């Protein structure tokens, strides 16, 4: 799943070996973010809310964490 975080950056979250793994996307590259740990008990539909809780300080008026197609 790919997410746009308040129009500031994009993340990809994948399930790997019963854990969620997060990558930051930039110009054709994926950089693994070892310091961002998504609890493995979260369901896929809860990830956007979790990211919003973590990064809410970066938000601005009318901005949100959006799941990308």
């Amino acid at each position: 799943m790919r997410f746009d975080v308040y129009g500031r950056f994009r993340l990809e979250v994948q399930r790997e070996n019963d854990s969620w793994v997060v990558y930051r996307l930039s110009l054709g590259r994926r950089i693994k973010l070892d310091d961002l740990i998504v609890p493995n008990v979260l369901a896929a539909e809860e990830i956007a809310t979790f990211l919003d809780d973590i990064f809410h300080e970066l938000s601005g008026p009318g901005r949100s964490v959006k799941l990308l197609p």
Side-chain angles (χ1 to χ4, degrees), residues 25-68:
L25 304 174
S26 68
L27 300 174
R29 295 180 7 178
R30 287 185 343 156
I31 301 163
K32 188 175 180 183
L33 299 179
D34 291 322
D35 58 339
L36 177 55
I37 299 172
V38 177
N40 61 359
V41 296
L42 288 183
E45 57 273 2
E46 297 174 300
I47 302 290
T49 301
F50 175 79
L51 294 174
D52 186 52
D53 289 344
I54 296 297
F55 294 111
H56 69 273
E57 293 169 350
L58 300 176
S59 181
R63 298 203 177 213
S64 63
V65 175
K66 297 179 185 175
L67 179 64
L68 298 173

